[in-house]
């Protein structure tokens, strides 16, 4: 008889690609992972892992069993979801991941509402960029994620995830108050073709969107400074080091020597909630979507 928890360990190793990654994802020690895998190999009657350089890789039998494990665990999640739906109670634990501005601008009100209306539900919040949220959802490390895409650059979700729209968020341009265009009532991205830019980290979805959008206008932007937090970006703009795109959601007051300028033909980004299809009937997911939609409508 194959043990379900050991199959969960094998699935984590397959998803993370290492024993260390699986241990971090399951919040147990690497020693416990190794012990569970050794027992699972005895149950399976053949090796499931082989050494590969300094790490490990799944054997053919390991990959075969990992594929079955993923299906079994998905079926178990659907059964749990159906049982919770049949009971109709919002209980248990709900892990929500969101990028920083959504954490600031949406989650405080949404989580407060969930705690008030469903005291038996334990909500945990993790800050993570959209790509990280999706990876954690697929691995089973999150139950619900908030992701974002742009009016001209959709965010692709992998199979097995569902999504629901939450809100649209308008973008402004942050410029130093002594910038030649600081007194404009509205501007376009192309007006800053000669400026240095303050942006997100290279390779992130929002960074790639900005480069894509500027290149579509025939401009190769000078991405000089990189910062994750909008407050840090504003500090760099305030020092006269460049201009930045600043969404309005979760944005605090700008420094006195920074001007926030509306963009011609308003630039919008769109926020979505996403979750695994096999958990779709969980009352906790439904309750969280209701709370998030309410919080978004109040922004």
């Amino acid at each position: 008889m194959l043990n379900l928890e050991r199959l969960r360990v094998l699935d984590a190793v397959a998803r993370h690609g290492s024993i260390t990654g699986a241990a971090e994802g399951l919040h147990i020690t690497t020693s416990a992972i190794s012990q569970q895998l050794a027992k699972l190999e005895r149950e399976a009657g053949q090796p499931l892992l082989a050494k590969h350089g300094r790490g490990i890789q799944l054997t053919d039998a390991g990959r075969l069993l990992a594929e079955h494990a993923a299906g079994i665990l998905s079926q178990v999640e659907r059964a749990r979801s159906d049982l919770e739906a049949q009971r109709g109670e919002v209980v248990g634990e709900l892990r929500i991941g969101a990028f920083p501005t959504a954490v600031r601008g949406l989650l405080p009100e949404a989580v407060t509402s969930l705690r008030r209306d469903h005291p038996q539900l334990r909500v945990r919040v993790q800050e993570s960029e959209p790509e990280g949220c999706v990876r954690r959802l697929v691995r089973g490390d999150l139950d619900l994620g908030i992701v974002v895409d742009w009016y001209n650059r959709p965010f692709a979700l992998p199979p097995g995830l569902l999504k629901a729209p939450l809100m649209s968020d308008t973008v402004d341009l942050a410029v130093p108050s002594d910038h030649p265009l600081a007194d404009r009532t509205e501007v376009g991205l192309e007006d800053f073709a000669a400026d240095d830019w303050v942006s997100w980290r290279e390779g992130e979805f929002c960074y790639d969107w900005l480069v894509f959008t500027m290149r579509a206008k025939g401009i190769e932007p000078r991405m000089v400074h990189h910062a994750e937090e909008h407050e840090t970006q504003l500090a760099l703009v305030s020092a006269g080091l460049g201009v930045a795109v600043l969404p309005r959601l979760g944005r605090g007051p700008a420094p006195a020597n920074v001007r926030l300028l509306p963009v011609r033909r308003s630039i919008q980004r769109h926020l979505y909630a996403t979750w695994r299809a096999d958990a779709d009937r969980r009352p906790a997911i439904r309750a969280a979507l209701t709370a998030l939609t309410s919080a978004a409508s109040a922004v």
Side-chain angles (χ1 to χ4, degrees):
M1 180 82 63
L2 296 173
N3 180 278
L4 181 62
E5 289 309 307
R6 290 169 198 148
L7 289 177
R8 193 181 303 279
V9 167
L10 179 64
D11 176 70
V13 170
R15 290 181 182 276
H16 291 271
S18 70
I19 288 177
T20 300
E24 292 175 354
L26 294 175
H27 307 291
I28 59 179
T29 65
T30 55
S31 175
I33 293 283
S34 297
Q35 291 174 19
Q36 292 284 64
L37 290 173
K39 292 178 181 178
L40 185 59
E41 285 186 329
R42 289 197 292 272
E43 291 173 351
Q46 52 189 311
L48 303 176
L49 298 174
K51 290 185 177 181
H52 181 69
R54 296 183 178 180
I56 54 95
Q57 66 180 11
L58 296 178
T59 63
D60 289 343
R63 284 191 292 271
L64 177 62
L65 187 55
E67 290 177 5
H68 283 292
I72 290 167
L73 293 170
S74 179
Q75 187 63 42
V76 169
E77 179 63 30
R78 282 195 292 271
R80 182 174 75 126
S81 177
D82 287 347
L83 283 172
E84 288 186 12
Q86 198 261 354
R87 191 167 65 231
E89 298 177 0
V90 181
V91 297
E93 181 177 87
L94 188 73
R95 300 159 299 174
I96 303 177
F99 55 97
T101 51
V103 171
R104 289 197 300 271
L106 284 182
L107 287 187
E109 180 174 343
V111 174
T112 298
S113 172
L114 283 170
R115 291 179 64 182
R116 180 188 65 240
D117 296 340
H118 308 287
Q120 295 185 70
L121 180 66
R122 301 184 305 277
V123 182
R124 295 187 178 184
V125 172
Q126 299 180 26
E127 186 178 282
S128 179
E129 293 298 331
E131 299 92 335
C133 276
V134 168
R135 286 194 298 270
R136 289 178 173 88
L137 276 170
V138 171
R139 290 200 305 254
D141 298 336
L142 288 176
D143 301 302
L144 191 69
I146 300 176
V147 300
V148 63
D149 63 18
W150 297 82
Y151 73 101
N152 60 342
R153 186 90 168 186
F155 186 89
L157 292 176
L161 295 184
L162 304 177
K163 71 175 186 178
L166 294 176
M167 62 175 290
S168 294
D169 185 26
T170 301
V171 164
D172 296 315
L173 261 293
V175 305
S177 58
D178 59 356
H179 192 283
L181 303 182
D183 60 349
R184 295 278 185 92
T185 56
E186 60 179 16
V187 293
L189 296 181
E190 64 275 10
D191 296 333
F192 301 90
D195 284 89
D196 291 341
W197 282 83
V198 179
S199 184
W200 297 271
R201 185 174 57 195
E202 186 173 356
E204 287 189 359
F205 183 69
C206 291
Y207 173 95
D208 291 342
W209 162 78
L210 183 55
V211 172
F212 169 82
T213 303
M214 295 289 280
R215 286 175 177 170
K217 298 176 180 294
I219 300 166
E220 186 62 36
R222 296 205 305 265
M223 300 300 200
V224 177
H225 307 291
H226 304 273
E228 296 297 306
E229 290 290 337
H230 288 175
E231 288 84 355
T232 307
Q233 294 179 8
L234 282 169
L236 293 171
V237 173
S238 176
L241 300 178
V243 299
V245 166
L246 263 295
R248 295 178 183 176
L249 178 67
R251 187 172 73 198
N257 57 339
V258 170
R259 297 290 179 268
L260 296 173
L261 306 177
V263 180
R264 288 192 297 271
R265 296 181 296 278
S266 176
I267 293 178
Q268 299 279 321
R269 62 178 189 166
H270 310 293
L271 277 68
Y272 300 89
T274 181
W275 63 98
R276 294 188 307 279
D278 56 23
D280 187 45
R281 295 192 65 203
R282 284 188 65 192
I285 296 288
R286 298 285 118 198
L289 292 174
T290 298
L292 286 167
T293 300
S294 177
S297 68
V299 172

